[in-house]
Amino acid sequence: MRPSSRTQILEAAVRVVERAGITALTLDAAAAEAGLTKPGLMYHFPNRDALLVAIQRHLTETLDGHLRAELGKPFEEATARERAAAYVRCCGQGGGTADFVFMVASATRPELARIWDEFADRWAPEPPGPDPDPEAVDLFLARVAADGLWLFHATAQSTLAPGVAEAVQRRLAALTAPES
């Protein structure tokens, strides 16, 4: 089955950003990369802002799909601990350049940041209240650490040695493991 033009445009826009950075992402560049005309692209995305919002949603929906596969059960049936563990296993592996660029771009755009916040809060929410439950703190700490590891992978000029990477992943997994 051929992907829809909308998906084709989103994937093309991500490739433009991976190759040349977010400032190179114009409607013309995305249309050319997707093999479409600019009016064909504008049928789906009338302006750059609409395209940016759609890309953020596309990236988080793609990651959500990976997390659900990692979870191995319906999201609604999973415990907070199981969801956080899936988040740590998946996000601790690192993301692509485009994910990083779009996440950074969202720092100054509340409508874009909200998309990433809603995604992360579904999987490993911030602990509620002034005196949070220690388990909720551990799960959130695991999320923040996995995010930091993801950031390390996205920006580091080198990679962790396999033994170090495995040790870090084990420590993160321990934060999400049930207490015995």
Side-chain angles (χ1 to χ4, degrees), residues 45-87:
F45 309 105
N47 54 50
R48 187 172 188 265
D49 285 342
L51 179 59
L52 289 173
V53 168
I55 292 167
Q56 300 284 41
R57 291 202 187 287
H58 175 71
L59 292 172
T60 58
E61 288 167 3
T62 299
L63 185 52
D64 190 80
H66 294 304
L67 286 167
R68 287 175 187 267
E70 182 68 34
L71 188 58
K73 64 168 49 173
F75 180 87
E76 301 73 25
E77 294 176 14
T79 66
R81 198 172 277 285
E82 290 169 329
R83 289 191 299 270
Y87 186 95

Side-chain angles (χ1 to χ4, degrees), residues 2-19:
R2 195 173 149 214
S4 74
S5 293
R6 182 177 172 81
T7 302
Q8 181 181 346
I9 293 164
L10 295 171
E11 291 172 355
V14 167
R15 287 192 304 273
V16 168
V17 171
E18 286 177 341
R19 184 175 58 248

Side-chain angles (χ1 to χ4, degrees), residues 49 53 56-57 106 108-116:
D49 285 342
V53 168
Q56 300 284 41
R57 291 202 187 287
S106 74
T108 58
R109 306 273 307 271
E111 72 277 15
L112 300 178
R114 191 170 24 262
I115 295 166
W116 287 102

Side-chain angles (χ1 to χ4, degrees), residues 34-46:
L36 300 171
T37 64
K38 185 175 178 181
L41 179 140
M42 292 181 73
Y43 172 81
H44 296 282
F45 309 105

